[in-house]
């Protein structure tokens, strides 16, 4: 594993098509060529951690910085197709991301995104195929936007192209097997929203909503769907003492009886537990850990986290962590 420290006052970060999208504490978005930044930092021989300052990479910045949504801080961002969706307190906005046409623009991205929904989105999650977007809105529930022309959605009420998946309170969500969605509220109560993929007589893909399950039903019946297409996933639950995380080994068709993570403390201290290909990311009030499949600690951050993101492509597995004065990038 290699670690890159980039100093700066950041609020959020994304990695898309080889570019680092970095929002600073003024609400301004800048794009940097990630490969160029990484190659420059790797010039230090045999260093376990590479240090740099964002100002030193100005020559790798693409286009001009831009206030994407009037300088407002995004509660979350996501890429769907060639669009950048930005959630702020005033609603959900959509603007063009890096495309060939925008490579001729001084901004490299849309400087005036269009408001697509007058809601209060808390988090955004893109489906693996990059064509569906799950929008968690807290008390209003879980919604989805489907941009695919090849996948038809059935079984959900929709208005102006926005589908309501669930009325249950949703703070976060993630896509799993078959385009089903796994959501949680702030107490880490979990719900599984099952979809089935099929073909119609014209051969077009149809994604039909089947049923919603609560945590107990997931544990009893639906764990394989939660595990998705990976060989490893996890379930977590709140206890009187804290939180417990149980691995799911899909190839063994069983949930491990003993927790791989057992954290003491109140449920308010825990923010999120997410499974990734390397193990489990546990975010809590004063830090973050990446714990491997067998309980080994891979990454530990002992300071409050502004934002973290996991990115995985054919060639890279990256954990990006935004802290108060820097961006930490862990390359697995």
């Amino acid at each position: 594993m290699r670690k890159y420290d980039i100093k700066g006052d950041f609020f959020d970060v994304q990695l898309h098509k080889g570019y680092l999208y970095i929002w600073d504490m003024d609400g301004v978005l800048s794009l940097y060529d990630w490969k160029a930044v990484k190659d420059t930092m790797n010039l230090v021989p045999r260093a376990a951690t590479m240090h740099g300052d964002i100002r030193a990479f100005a020559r790798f910045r693409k286009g001009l910085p831009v206030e994407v949504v009037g300088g407002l801080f995004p509660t979350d961002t996501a890429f769907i197709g060639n669009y950048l969706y930005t959630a702020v307190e005033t609603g959900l906005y959509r603007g063009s991301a890096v495309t060939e046409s925008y490579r001729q623009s001084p901004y490299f991205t849309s400087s005036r995104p269009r408001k697509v929904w007058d809601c209060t989105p808390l988090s955004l999650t893109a489906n693996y195929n990059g064509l569906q977007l799950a929008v968690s809105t807290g008390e209003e529930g879980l919604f989805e936007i489907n941009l695919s022309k090849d996948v038809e959605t059935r079984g959900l009420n929709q208005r102006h192209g926005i589908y309501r998946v669930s009325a249950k309170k949703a703070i976060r969500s993630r896509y799993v097997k078959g385009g089903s969605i796994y959501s949680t509220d702030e107490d880490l109560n979990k719900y599984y929203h099952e979809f089935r993929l099929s073909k119609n007589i014209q051969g077009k893909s149809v994604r039909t909503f089947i049923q919603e399950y609560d945590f107990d039903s997931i544990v009893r019946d639906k764990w394989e769907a939660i595990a998705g297409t990976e060989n490893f996933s996890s379930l977590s639950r709140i206890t009187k003492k804290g939180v417990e995380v149980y691995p799911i080994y899909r190839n063994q068709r069983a949930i491990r009886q003993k927790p791989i993570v057992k954290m003491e403390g109140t449920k308010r201290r825990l923010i999120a537990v997410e499974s990734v290909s390397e193990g489990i990311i546990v975010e809590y009030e004063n830090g973050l850990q990446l714990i491997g499949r067998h309980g080994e600690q891979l990454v530990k951050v002992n300071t409050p986290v502004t934002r973290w993101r996991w990115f995985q492509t054919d060639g890279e597995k990256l954990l990006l962590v935004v802290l108060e004065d820097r961006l930490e990038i862990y390359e697995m």
Side-chain angles (χ1 to χ4, degrees), residues 79-252:
F79 289 94
I80 299 293
N82 288 322
Y83 296 108
L84 169 61
Y85 280 82
T86 304
V88 296
E89 60 183 10
T90 59
L92 182 65
Y93 292 77
R94 185 181 79 181
S96 296
V98 173
T99 63
E100 288 304 319
S101 61
Y102 273 91
R103 291 180 196 277
Q104 309 305 318
S105 163
Y107 294 108
F108 253 64
T109 188
S110 176
S111 60
R112 294 183 180 180
R114 181 174 63 90
K115 193 176 192 178
V116 295
W117 191 15
D118 189 16
C119 67
T120 307
L122 299 179
S123 67
L124 309 176
T125 305
N127 198 356
Y128 300 125
N129 64 11
L131 294 173
Q132 286 88 39
L133 178 71
V135 184
S136 301
T137 65
E139 296 287 352
E140 296 299 316
L142 180 66
F143 296 81
E144 182 183 76
I145 296 174
N146 182 13
L147 294 184
S148 175
K149 297 180 180 179
D150 300 319
V151 180
E152 179 184 347
T153 299
R154 294 180 181 175
L156 294 174
N157 293 326
Q158 67 97 9
R159 185 179 181 183
H160 304 305
I162 300 172
Y163 297 83
R164 185 165 195 172
V165 179
S166 173
K168 296 285 177 54
K169 189 173 184 178
I171 302 298
R172 291 173 181 253
S173 66
R174 64 185 174 94
Y175 282 91
V176 290
K177 183 179 180 182
S180 296
I181 308 174
Y182 181 49
S183 68
T184 62
D185 61 20
E186 74 271 25
D187 295 330
L188 292 188
N189 294 316
K190 292 177 167 44
Y191 304 98
Y192 173 62
H193 317 281
E194 183 180 12
F195 287 77
R196 179 186 300 136
L197 284 175
S198 60
K199 297 280 188 180
N200 61 18
I201 57 175
Q202 288 81 28
K204 185 176 181 178
S205 295
V206 177
R207 186 165 156 268
T208 305
F209 176 74
I210 303 299
Q211 191 173 350
E212 180 178 85
Y213 297 85
D214 61 15
F215 179 84
D216 292 335
S217 298
I218 293 172
V219 173
R220 186 172 61 251
D221 299 324
K222 291 295 172 182
W223 66 264
E224 185 174 356
I226 291 174
T229 58
E230 299 177 358
N231 291 323
F232 177 82
S233 190
S234 68
L235 291 171
S236 56
R237 69 178 183 182
I238 294 293
T239 69
K240 293 181 178 179
K241 293 183 178 180
V243 62
E244 297 176 344
V245 182
Y246 294 83
I248 299 170
Y249 296 95
R250 186 166 180 259
N251 55 350
Q252 297 177 12

